[in-house]
Amino acid sequence: MRLTLHTDYALRVLLYLGLNQSRRVSIREIAERYGISENHLVKIVHRLGQGGFVTTMRGRGGGLVLARAPAEINIGDLVRFTEEDMALVACFQTGQSCVLTGVCRLQGVLGDALGAFMAVLDSRTLADLLTSPEREALTKRLNMSH
């Protein structure tokens, strides 16, 4: 399974906001820190707002903040929200048929693997990703280019 850049960048936005909870953060600031296109990040932040992960404020003094406490932001929920296609193989997709359906064990094995992958993500929150010493290392790394 490979997560899309959309999900990768969404996770980065949430991590950055989680490390900077005491203030509002601009999209430009996040884009510069991570070396990501600001235009691309605008779309991701908009989607995160639709999902209730971030709150955006326009105008002077505006910016982004987490919409919920980090402990209330489940990583599995975020991945499901940002990933358009969780089908590992074509036979997982709606409307796809395979001559092996009903006798192939691969679909069951891959379904179990995807379930295990998502179970790990479901057991973690943004707060888990922001705990020390990881938080200190991440903060140092992001502030090095500050």
Side-chain angles (χ1 to χ4, degrees), residues 4-63:
T4 61
L5 277 178
H6 183 85
T7 299
D8 178 17
Y9 293 167
L11 284 164
R12 292 183 196 204
V13 167
L14 295 183
L15 283 168
Y16 196 85
L17 294 177
L19 292 171
N20 293 281
Q21 292 179 66
S22 62
R23 65 187 181 88
R24 292 184 180 126
V25 176
S26 71
I27 291 174
R28 173 173 284 150
E29 179 182 339
I30 297 170
E32 288 174 358
R33 286 289 173 269
Y34 289 126
I36 300 171
S37 159
E38 193 172 336
N39 289 334
H40 190 62
L41 212 50
V42 166
K43 295 173 191 169
I44 292 167
V45 167
H46 177 72
R47 181 93 171 112
L48 288 172
Q50 290 175 325
F53 294 97
V54 301
T55 300
T56 59
M57 292 152 263
R58 292 180 163 222
R60 188 171 185 195

Side-chain angles (χ1 to χ4, degrees), residues 92 104-113:
F92 280 22
C104 177
R105 293 185 179 174
L106 182 60
Q107 187 176 24
V109 170
L110 292 176
D112 290 347

